[in-house]
Amino acid sequence: MKLARPYAALLRLVKVSVPQAVADWQRFRIITAAMIHSLLIVSLILTMNTTASPQRKVIVPVNGAKPVGPYSPGVLAGNYLYLSGQGVRDANGNVPEGLTAQTRQCLENVKAIVEAAGLTMQHIVHMQLYLERVSALPEVDRIYAAYFPTAPPARVVIGTAKMPTDTPVEMTAVAVRDLKMKKVVTLKNLKPLGHASSAVATGSRIYLSGVYGKTHAEAEAALKQVLKEAKLSPEQVVFRNDYGTSASAMIPMHELPDQMQAAISAIAVKKKPATKDAPAFCRADGKTIFCTVQTGAEDGAKTVADQVRAVMQQLYAGLEKHGATLSQVTATNVYLDDIREFRAMNETYASFFPGSPPTRTTVQPFPVQGRAPLVRISLVAVKE
């Protein structure tokens, strides 16, 4: 290897031999190439990690129904898209005439958010269907089925006392980013109501359709049978909300389908979740934290504002044990005993999410009974 004359002259000044300089130069090239190779590998790993765990993104469809509170229409976080509860009003705030048209508009509102995220209705894996009249389920289901011709999502159907903006139908959905992750699971012990799948598996997670019973004990026993058939245990349930038609239920509902008195909505994982030093009401599936419904009544709070603060403090404590914060919350469900307290709830709730708020579904589950209204909230958070 020959060196340029100026460089050779420089070598004579510093008394370095040409062979030694050549060897040093070759060593430098080898080390540099190795460093570049290492940097490329690190860059690739970082890119792969970013692809595998996408960051949180708020989804707002161009022509979607306008939010009526401090919540985002949709939030992409991790491998999932979470949707706020969608009612029957269109983008201009108009309500179509008749339940059939109203149901279709509700589904179009869901579709607008899903498509704004670059997904389709087939990506939906779980749905909560709230009805003002459970007797309307057959008519609602007929329209609903047309939007899910194959592999319908798992679904929970419950009857509420009232919903915001007087909507008779509201739907909350969860969709998976990659359709290849979605796998319908058929369970003999879980016959879903209407057009739904028994369960839908998404990787390590399994979304179950609602499990119903004439009593809470019956629903509990049914859930155990369902989990056993799916080769799961109660300890693998990361999220469950318990509904009942009595005022003493964890989440009292106006009515349930088929004159049932109790229902359980559950999500399970294939591996037993880590719960060390964490409260039982918050469990984790990897970076996703599920916190079941909490109520402000336990702290003796009387006003709706005080109850919202009390509930959020409980939920924050649960998230903190899992290394998460309220800023990472992606979805909430708010059960408000008196929908007339909607504004008061909104004002206090908003103070906990000063940035981009999570998705949210709000319903009045039970008729007002002349007592101070209770606030119940459950949530999902995703650590980035």
Side-chain angles (χ1 to χ4, degrees):
M1 179 177 178
K2 293 184 179 181
L3 299 174
R5 288 183 180 180
Y7 184 57
L10 178 62
L11 293 178
R12 286 194 294 271
L13 288 175
V14 296
K15 299 181 179 180
V16 176
S17 66
V18 171
Q20 180 181 344
V22 171
D24 290 343
W25 173 251
Q26 290 176 335
R27 190 178 299 109
F28 172 78
R29 291 175 60 193
I30 292 171
I31 293 172
T32 302
M35 291 177 65
I36 292 173
H37 181 68
S38 298
L39 288 171
L40 287 173
I41 291 176
V42 171
S43 176
L44 179 61
I45 291 173
L46 290 174
T47 302
M48 290 174 63
N49 285 342
T50 301
T51 303
S53 182
Q55 292 185 348
R56 172 190 175 111
K57 181 181 179 182
V58 172
I59 304 299
V60 181
V62 176
N63 296 317
K66 303 298 185 293
V68 294
Y71 58 84
S72 299
V75 172
L76 273 169
N79 291 318
Y80 296 87
L81 168 67
Y82 300 87
L83 279 70
S84 284
Q86 297 301 301
V88 302
R89 293 180 181 273
D90 62 18
N92 297 317
N94 300 319
V95 178
E97 292 187 9
L99 184 60
T100 294
Q102 291 168 356
T103 301
R104 187 174 289 110
Q105 183 59 58
C106 183
L107 284 157
E108 286 296 323
N109 292 339
V110 170
K111 185 179 178 182
I113 299 171
V114 170
E115 292 185 346
L119 308 179
T120 68
M121 294 292 276
Q122 282 301 107
H123 286 77
I124 295 178
V125 296
H126 188 261
M127 182 81 79
Q128 285 180 304
L129 173 58
Y130 299 93
L131 298 173
E132 194 172 52
R133 291 183 298 106
V134 168
S135 60
L137 179 58
E139 184 176 353
V140 170
D141 212 33
R142 181 173 58 83
I143 306 303
Y144 181 94
Y147 284 78
F148 302 100
T150 60
R155 188 176 69 179
V156 180
V157 181
I158 46 183
T160 66
K162 203 170 184 61
M163 290 174 273
T165 69
D166 294 319
T167 180
V169 181
E170 187 166 338
M171 299 182 197
T172 303
V174 178
V176 67
R177 282 182 187 252
D178 186 354
L179 193 56
K180 294 178 182 178
M181 289 179 62
K182 180 180 178 180
K183 181 181 179 181
V184 170
V185 178
T186 301
L187 300 169
K188 293 180 180 179
N189 289 305
L190 181 51
K191 185 179 180 181
L193 295 170
H195 190 70
S197 298
S198 299
V200 174
T202 57
S204 65
R205 194 177 302 173
I206 299 177
Y207 290 87
L208 299 176
S209 277
V211 179
Y212 299 86
K214 293 293 185 181
T215 64
H216 184 268
E218 186 176 295
E220 187 74 55
L223 177 61
K224 288 182 179 179
Q225 287 297 317
V226 170
L227 293 172
K228 183 178 180 180
E229 183 183 352
K231 298 180 180 180
L232 300 167
S233 68
E235 290 74 26
Q236 289 170 273
V237 173
V238 290
F239 179 86
R240 65 176 280 176
N241 274 344
D242 294 56
Y243 305 96
T245 54
S246 68
S248 60
M250 180 178 289
I251 308 175
M253 303 304 298
H254 182 45
E255 60 177 332
L256 294 170
D258 294 341
Q259 297 183 333
M260 293 295 178
Q261 306 300 308
I264 301 174
S265 175
I267 303 170
V269 292
K270 294 179 180 179
K271 291 184 179 180
K272 187 176 179 180
T275 56
K276 183 180 179 181
D277 300 326
F281 64 84
C282 284
R283 293 195 166 197
D285 174 26
K287 292 185 176 182
T288 303
I289 317 300
F290 296 92
C291 294
T292 57
V293 71
Q294 298 297 293
T295 176
E298 295 175 359
D299 289 344
K302 294 183 178 180
T303 69
V304 166
D306 288 341
Q307 287 194 44
V308 171
R309 281 190 285 268
V311 174
M312 295 307 296
Q313 287 168 3
Q314 294 171 33
L315 293 171
Y316 174 74
L319 291 175
E320 192 175 33
K321 290 292 185 179
H322 286 281
T325 66
L326 288 176
S327 65
Q328 294 169 320
V329 174
T330 59
T332 68
N333 274 56
V334 177
Y335 301 93
L336 180 62
D337 272 9
D338 190 345
I339 208 69
R340 291 173 297 183
E341 298 281 358
F342 190 72
R343 176 177 292 182
M345 179 275 295
N346 266 341
E347 291 174 352
T348 308
Y349 177 94
S351 66
F352 288 91
F353 302 104
S356 298
T359 64
R360 193 183 79 187
T361 301
T362 305
V363 299
Q364 178 183 319
F366 203 70
V368 177
Q369 290 193 327
R371 57 173 170 76
L374 299 180
V375 177
R376 299 170 177 84
I377 303 176
S378 61
L379 61 77
V380 180
V382 180
K383 296 189 292 184
E384 296 178 0

